[in-house]
Amino acid sequence: MNDNLVKIKDPVLSIRDLCVSYDKGKNAVDNVSADIKRNAVTAIMGPSGCGKSTMLRAINRMHELYENIETTGNLILNGKDIADMPTIQLRRKVGMVFQRPNPFPTMSIYDNVIAGFKLNGIRLKKNERNEIVERSLTDVTLWDEVKDTLHKKGSFLSGGQQQRLCIARALAFSPEVILLDEPTSALDPVATSKVEDLMVKLKENYSILMVTHNMSQAARISDYSMFMYLGELVEYGKTKDMFTNPKDRRTEEYLTGKFG
Amino acid sequence: MSTSAKIMVDNLGRRTVKDKLFKGLVALLSVVTISPIVLIIYELVAKGIKQISFDFIIKTPPDTFEAMTALSNGELIPGGIANGITGTLLMVVLASVIAIPVGVITGIYLYENPGKFLANLTRNVSDILQGVPSIVLGLIAYMWIVKPITSGFSALAGSVSLSIMMLPMIVRSTEETLKMIPQTIKEAALALGVPYYKVILRVLIPTSFSGLLTGILLGISRVLGETAPLMLTALGSTIINLDITKPTSAVPLLIWEFYNDPNMVDLIWSSSLFLMAMVLTLNLVSKRIVARTK
């Protein structure tokens, strides 16, 4: 698979020979190696069941919630193997945003943003808290919309606003990588385009890895793209190159809508 | 006009009548369902309200002689059910203190380990426990607490039998409420690096709080009127008792005692009215909580 290894200098994350299996002998992610570029958006595409979500979840070890999971290979985050970190510490360095917006329903908008600190018992001074909330909400362009209702429940927001709130919650820890698992699949087109604009803006400060079903979305906003099929990383490269000149026949067929 | 359209028009009158009849029947049956509770409340208020006063809440029951004198003079029976009210509160609070933590933790365990052998066993046993006749629970508490621990009838023994009755309701309602929380909320917390026990304590429990509270309140209102197990454990007392190792009265026990004394008949109705009011209030409060948080 090493011919797939795109040359990327100083990657934020290196995936090496990663295999994840739910049942013994059947790999959901099959021997994937790739370097993820810092301060860029990398899209992971592929048909349903190709292992893209499993791979994403392996990066913050959320996949360990499933039973009988087996993982081999290495994931190196900024030079450190994530297998050696406690999950609690790892997940603060790797933020995650899910398919459906999932703000904590009992918490206000304000508390949702600093939920990571509150729930972990990290004490902050009031001005530090205010600063984190304002910075995170400004980063996701939600500040102007909610600055007067910060202490209302997050569940009063629209779906798109809720999803941006969830991104702000992930940003509050200033994570090294942000994982997004089909972040716009539950949103309407207007909210989707706002989230997309946001990702392009966020890559100035963050490294983003996003699973998407939506090829045009990957083409619009990602710098690098991966195409996965049946657990295998079929093709990985600059998005522009992959969409204009795919090297693998399967990638070409997927991108032209022949299967998937 | 086509044939089928004609048939429909011809049919229309009869179908409308049928529809109206059916609607009427549904409404009638609903009235039949609510009429017992309306009649019960009417009966209790009609017969019991005259004895309800401030004294009724703060005084202990009269002895037979006092009651007889009052009756023959055509006066209201003096005294009240203060010993029963304090006893019921004491035992229900103690039973809740025992049953709520055990029940909630068991419910969390069932929710977290749905397929495990121990969880399935616990769930089934808890369902069976719900069906155990309350007098049997009283008997068990008698064997466990009354004889070996408090060497005599006691509020503690009464509380233990009540807590066993509450337990399955709390376990089930905890499990069911937690199941209604979307899995994504749990994932959101875990993805923030929140340790597992804090996810449960700070996210899952607050999110399902109204459901938990409803289960607990319904459990309490269920045991509030229990009489049989208390006869074998708390026994009853003519004075206000707050010592959990001593025999203690309760409102339902007093109703039974009043029933056995022909001079106290009027107190049966007022005590029942009081008990019914407590249970109804708890039920209404829990309904309000559910409605408010939905």
Side-chain angles (χ1 to χ4, degrees), chain A residues 19 28 47 99 127 205 221 227 233 256:
Chain A
C19 295
Q99 229 174 54
N127 57 337
N205 299 313
I221 62 170
F227 174 66
L233 178 58
T256 51

Side-chain angles (χ1 to χ4, degrees), chain A residues 111-130:
Chain A
D111 287 344
N112 259 292
V113 178
I114 52 162
F117 295 93
K118 269 191 97 168
L119 294 174
N120 283 308
I122 301 170
R123 287 186 191 282
L124 295 172
K125 291 202 190 83
K126 193 164 185 215
N127 57 337
E128 288 174 322
R129 281 201 305 265
N130 291 340

Side-chain angles (χ1 to χ4, degrees), chain A residues 38-205:
Chain A
R38 197 179 291 279
N39 292 354
V41 176
T42 306
I44 310 174
M45 291 179 294
S48 299
C50 70
K52 53 193 191 308
S53 279
T54 306
M55 187 169 88
L56 197 74
R57 279 161 178 259
I59 297 169
N60 66 350
R61 288 169 61 191
M62 284 290 281
H63 70 315
E64 288 173 11
L65 296 179
Y66 304 113
E67 276 176 47
N68 306 326
I69 200 99
E70 269 185 40
T71 313
T72 58
N74 301 88
L75 286 153
I76 315 291
L77 178 66
N78 280 326
K80 280 187 201 141
D81 195 324
I82 66 156
D84 301 333
M85 290 183 218
T87 51
I88 292 170
Q89 195 196 348
L90 169 68
R91 288 172 191 165
R92 288 175 201 173
K93 292 185 180 184
V94 182
M96 189 165 204
V97 177
F98 297 83
Q99 229 174 54
R100 292 192 165 275
N102 52 1
F104 296 120
T106 53
M107 294 185 194
S108 65
I109 295 171
Y110 187 95
D111 287 344
N112 259 292
V113 178
I114 52 162
F117 295 93
K118 269 191 97 168
L119 294 174
N120 283 308
I122 301 170
R123 287 186 191 282
L124 295 172
K125 291 202 190 83
K126 193 164 185 215
N127 57 337
E128 288 174 322
R129 281 201 305 265
N130 291 340
E131 205 185 296
I132 291 173
V133 170
E134 185 171 347
R135 170 179 61 77
S136 307
L137 288 174
T138 311
D139 275 352
V140 299
T141 62
L142 197 59
W143 176 251
D144 290 328
E145 290 161 60
V146 300
K147 66 179 179 218
D148 301 320
T149 52
L150 282 178
H151 294 284
K152 272 177 99 177
K153 294 256 163 74
S155 38
F156 283 110
L157 298 172
S158 73
Q161 288 174 320
Q162 285 188 21
Q163 191 64 306
R164 279 183 283 150
L165 176 61
C166 292
I167 298 175
R169 180 174 65 188
L171 294 182
F173 270 136
S174 305
E176 294 167 18
V177 180
I178 304 169
L179 309 174
L180 301 110
D181 191 355
E182 295 182 45
T184 59
S185 65
L187 303 183
D188 64 69
V190 177
T192 298
S193 92
K194 276 194 175 166
V195 171
E196 288 182 1
D197 293 347
L198 179 61
M199 280 191 269
V200 174
K201 184 178 139 241
L202 284 178
K203 74 179 181 190
E204 287 170 22
N205 299 313

Side-chain angles (χ1 to χ4, degrees), chain B residues 5-293:
Chain B
K6 198 158 171 255
I7 290 170
M8 275 175 72
V9 172
D10 287 346
N11 227 352
L12 197 59
R14 213 173 58 191
R15 291 197 304 162
T16 315
V17 171
K18 261 196 201 164
D19 188 46
K20 282 199 173 134
L21 267 178
F22 188 75
K23 274 186 187 156
L25 189 70
V26 170
L28 183 73
L29 291 176
S30 314
V31 172
V32 170
T33 313
I34 59 166
S35 55
I37 192 78
V38 173
L39 291 174
I40 289 170
I41 292 170
Y42 169 76
E43 200 79 20
L44 291 181
V45 171
K47 295 206 162 101
I49 196 80
K50 63 172 187 269
Q51 284 286 344
I52 302 269
S53 63
F54 191 55
D55 274 6
F56 185 74
I57 298 168
I58 59 156
K59 288 197 171 158
T60 52
D63 56 36
T64 310
F65 182 70
E66 285 170 331
M68 203 163 64
T69 322
L71 273 183
S72 61
N73 292 342
E75 294 162 3
L76 289 176
I77 301 174
I81 55 166
N83 53 340
I85 297 171
T86 52
T88 292
L89 288 180
L90 175 70
M91 286 190 278
V92 166
V93 168
L94 196 56
S96 308
V97 168
I98 300 169
I100 292 171
V102 178
V104 169
I105 290 169
T106 309
I108 292 172
Y109 175 77
L110 295 187
Y111 162 75
E112 285 296 329
N113 305 282
K116 289 229 174 94
F117 174 76
L118 183 60
N120 287 335
L121 185 71
T122 311
R123 192 178 296 109
N124 288 327
V125 167
S126 149
D127 285 351
I128 294 167
L129 195 59
Q130 192 147 30
V132 174
S134 59
I135 189 125
V136 176
L137 296 178
L139 213 56
I140 295 296
Y142 179 82
M143 291 303 297
W144 286 353
I145 315 283
V146 173
K147 288 188 81 178
I149 295 179
T150 52
S151 52
F153 296 105
S154 66
L156 179 65
S159 302
V160 168
S161 62
L162 295 185
S163 67
I164 300 174
M165 287 196 72
M166 286 171 75
L167 205 52
M169 299 187 74
I170 297 178
V171 170
R172 254 300 151 89
S173 72
T174 305
E175 189 191 0
E176 295 302 322
T177 335
L178 286 174
K179 269 193 202 160
M180 291 191 324
I181 304 177
Q183 189 70 12
T184 53
I185 300 287
K186 198 171 131 191
E187 286 184 337
L190 287 169
L192 287 172
V194 180
Y196 186 67
Y197 75 96
K198 276 196 179 161
V199 174
I200 289 174
L201 292 180
R202 303 280 305 270
V203 177
L204 294 185
I205 291 192
T207 308
S208 59
F209 185 73
S210 69
L212 294 187
L213 196 61
T214 310
I216 290 166
L217 289 181
L218 289 178
I220 289 175
S221 74
R222 170 86 184 77
V223 298
L224 214 50
E226 268 307 321
T227 325
L230 296 184
M231 287 174 163
L232 305 180
T233 52
L235 189 70
S237 156
T238 51
I239 55 161
I240 294 176
N241 170 50
L242 297 175
D243 181 347
I244 60 166
T245 63
K246 293 269 156 43
T248 306
S249 191
V251 179
L253 280 178
L254 282 179
I255 296 175
W256 170 245
E257 284 164 23
F258 295 150
Y259 175 80
N260 289 319
D261 188 334
N263 296 306
M264 307 267 200
V265 174
D266 283 353
L267 288 179
I268 296 178
W269 295 105
S270 46
S271 311
S272 302
L273 178 61
F274 186 84
L275 191 59
M276 191 72 195
M278 278 169 85
V279 172
L280 275 184
T281 312
L282 273 181
N283 270 292
L284 291 177
V285 166
S286 57
K287 284 232 161 67
R288 274 301 284 278
I289 293 171
V290 174
R292 267 210 2 222
T293 48

